[in-house]
Amino acid sequence: MKNIVKLGLVFSVLAAGSAVASNDYTLGPRPLFLVADMDEGELKSKLEKCLDDKPKKSDFSIGHRGAALMFPEHTKESYMAAAKMGAGVLECDVTFTKDKELVCRHSQNDLHTTTDVLSHPDLAAKCSVPFTPANPEKGEKARVECRTTDFTLAEFKRLKGKMDGANPMATTPEAYMAGTPGWRTDLYASRGTLMTHAESIELFKALDVKMTPELKSAAVEMPYDGLTQQDYAQKMIEEYKEAGVKPSHVFVQSFNLDDVKYWISAEPKFGEQAVFLDARMYKNKLWEPTLADMKALKRAGVEFIAPPLFALVTLSSEGEIVPSEYAKMAKEADLDMIAWTLERSGPLGNGGGWYYQSVKDATNNDGDIFNLLDVLAQDVGVVGVFSDWPATTTFYANCVGL
């Protein structure tokens, strides 16, 4: 019951606008709910004994866009909630505005689904693709695309973050923005403070957490107004230097291997913890991992590799979740592995969807999250897991001593 009683604490902190680090973490009722939903077994018995333990911060627990399951992603409120749940590492996805200022957004062209931009007529008119209503009779979806590069930083800061989602068959901007998935909530979306990258750094310092910025691919052609890809990658590093952040507290990441190699070469102290986000297994359906490729990454100076959850696990002939060949090869090549993204699939009764595709026959109830997490930690050997609700990952990490 202690965990349930503490649930209100995080929201009172958010309401007060406090950004001060605290050792008084709270996990709320979700770990209790998930453990209760597990099938009987040794792992469930072990986790049950930890339900009333005092939570501690863990670097194993990475706040994916903050706590995006219930808070608008990449907002101050989302980051603070994730830190209060004991996430030891927080993520700012980094992109840039029209005046080349770095800001926290998952994509350069997602403002129409993650902010209230369409409620500002003067700003909505500047979108790369202004809102065009859907035509339900013809089966035509609404069209709109709003990029950070459509706006100056001052204009960007007028926006408010909202839960990511849209109604593609909407005939009005208001209806289009009202598309939050049913398994999420708008209950904590009344405020959604957008942040620059530099502001996120100062917040994370105050929260006493490590940082994992992801350099996002540009939706505009590069170079952009004289800004080259390497300028962009370097600009992100410079903001950590200017803020006096130790390189050991930063895990820079990118899906672009050239970005990672650039940091390894040009900024070796930051490059030591550069993370290669691996999308090859779903961008190319014919791609297969090889040990030679994993070893080549290691020789190039890559120390961390981060694929989606499904790439690291598979099912045994007995139907048990076990490490995949990809995971075995990465381990043999001495690459540290990070997995993404837990708590981003809604209820698991349908097998868990995209993130669970390689083990869907073993994930038929929400408690199976912990079975997957246990294999990732104990058998695959991941060093961290991104989660949209870090309380789940923090609880597990605390209980097993990670």
Side-chain angles (χ1 to χ4, degrees), residues 23-143:
N23 292 325
D24 190 10
Y25 302 105
T26 180
L27 302 182
R30 186 152 176 80
L32 174 64
F33 169 79
L34 294 175
V35 171
D37 198 48
M38 294 178 70
D39 297 331
E40 297 299 325
E42 182 178 344
L43 180 60
K44 179 175 181 176
S45 298
K46 181 174 185 175
L47 295 178
E48 284 177 330
K49 296 176 182 177
C50 298
L51 286 170
D52 287 326
D53 290 354
K54 183 177 176 61
K56 298 179 294 183
K57 179 175 65 176
S58 173
D59 288 353
F60 183 82
S61 179
I62 307 171
H64 181 244
R65 314 183 199 178
L69 178 64
M70 297 176 71
F71 288 82
E73 63 186 45
H74 292 307
T75 61
K76 177 181 178 181
E77 293 75 19
S78 186
Y79 291 142
M80 291 175 66
K84 202 65 182 174
M85 294 180 208
V89 186
L90 295 183
E91 177 192 45
C92 166
D93 289 333
V94 179
T95 187
F96 55 89
T97 60
K98 184 176 183 178
D99 44 355
K100 296 180 284 189
E101 296 294 332
L102 301 185
V103 294
C104 298
R105 285 290 90 198
H106 174 65
S107 173
Q108 192 171 72
N109 59 344
D110 72 0
L111 295 184
H112 49 287
T113 65
T114 65
T115 76
D116 66 345
V117 63
L118 297 183
S119 68
H120 300 267
D122 62 321
L123 298 182
K126 296 183 178 183
C127 289
S128 292
V129 180
F131 180 77
T132 301
N135 188 330
E137 293 183 359
K138 294 184 178 181
E140 295 175 353
K141 296 180 180 180
R143 293 190 299 111

Side-chain angles (χ1 to χ4, degrees), residues 218-294:
V220 294
E221 186 177 350
M222 298 292 279
Y224 173 79
D225 190 23
L227 182 73
T228 68
Q229 184 66 26
Q230 290 192 349
D231 292 337
Y232 177 30
Q234 186 63 41
K235 184 177 178 67
M236 189 179 83
I237 297 294
E238 291 303 320
E239 294 198 349
Y240 288 96
K241 290 181 176 181
E242 291 167 7
V245 178
K246 296 178 181 178
S248 60
H249 287 186
V250 184
F251 295 82
V252 293
Q253 48 174 341
S254 178
F255 280 100
N256 182 348
L257 184 56
D258 287 340
D259 292 337
V260 176
K261 290 180 176 179
Y262 170 78
W263 291 319
I264 291 170
S265 174
E267 292 287 347
K269 290 185 179 180
F270 286 91
E272 286 180 9
Q273 295 187 158
V275 181
F276 172 44
L277 297 166
D278 195 356
R280 294 174 293 179
M281 69 291 301
Y282 63 87
K283 286 193 172 182
N284 178 1
K285 297 299 183 181
L286 299 179
W287 182 83
E288 295 286 346
T290 66
L291 181 57
D293 174 71
M294 296 293 187

Side-chain angles (χ1 to χ4, degrees), residues 357-397:
Q357 59 187 272
S358 64
V359 294
K360 58 184 177 61
D361 291 339
T363 50
N364 53 28
N365 58 284
D366 292 335
D368 288 329
I369 283 178
F370 282 129
N371 295 331
L372 172 60
L373 197 51
D374 193 56
V375 172
L376 289 170
Q378 306 302 329
D379 301 329
V380 174
V382 299
V383 298
V385 176
F386 282 91
S387 176
D388 274 14
W389 200 245
T392 302
T393 314
T394 300
F395 169 75
Y396 173 83

Side-chain angles (χ1 to χ4, degrees), residues 323-365:
S324 66
E325 289 303 308
Y326 178 107
K328 293 175 184 177
M329 291 174 188
K331 188 173 184 177
E332 186 172 346
D334 198 27
L335 291 168
D336 285 325
M337 290 170 277
I338 299 171
W340 49 271
T341 303
L342 210 68
E343 298 282 31
R344 196 164 178 79
S345 302
L348 302 188
N350 64 351
W354 189 84
Y355 288 94
Y356 294 78
Q357 59 187 272
S358 64
V359 294
K360 58 184 177 61
D361 291 339
T363 50
N364 53 28
N365 58 284

